[in-house]
Amino acid sequence: MDGRIEMHNNAIERMFRHIAIGRRNWLHTGSHFAVENIAFMYSLLESCKLNAVNFGEYIEDILTRLMKGEKADASFLPNKYVPRPKQGQEKAA
């Protein structure tokens, strides 16, 4: 270490605080598959935060589009996500 970077970074520690708080609860997830699902959802949540995407609206839109039969592609990822207008919010031509 050259001393230019602090050993502790409070901003990063605060960012992962919710993960540390949830550890006790995750001991009782039930199965390895459930833990993988939780890890996936937290990863998706953090990706949405980094790309300034509202997580709730993102999940609702993506799941609705998948249920309607739309094929998943790169535009479904948080970094390339473009929200679709909801019913009744389309621009009048």
Side-chain angles (χ1 to χ4, degrees), residues 6-21:
E6 291 186 34
M7 189 77 136
H8 299 283
N9 184 335
N10 287 334
I12 295 297
E13 290 178 14
R14 279 193 307 273
M15 185 177 185
F16 291 104
R17 179 182 169 121
H18 64 281
I19 294 172
I21 290 172

Side-chain angles (χ1 to χ4, degrees), residues 17-31:
R17 179 182 169 121
H18 64 281
I19 294 172
I21 290 172
R23 281 187 195 136
R24 184 179 303 164
N25 296 334
W26 300 337
L27 290 173
H28 308 290
T29 54
S31 69

Side-chain angles (χ1 to χ4, degrees), residues 21-53:
I21 290 172
R23 281 187 195 136
R24 184 179 303 164
N25 296 334
W26 300 337
L27 290 173
H28 308 290
T29 54
S31 69
H32 184 70
F33 182 70
V35 172
E36 288 176 349
N37 287 335
I38 291 170
F40 170 77
M41 291 305 290
Y42 269 108
S43 171
L44 196 58
L45 172 67
E46 292 301 323
S47 294
C48 285
K49 283 182 185 179
L50 289 172
N51 291 289
V53 174

Side-chain angles (χ1 to χ4, degrees), residues 71-83:
K71 297 290 182 192
D73 59 10
S75 69
F76 279 42
L77 297 173
N79 63 332
K80 298 182 186 220
Y81 173 68
V82 177

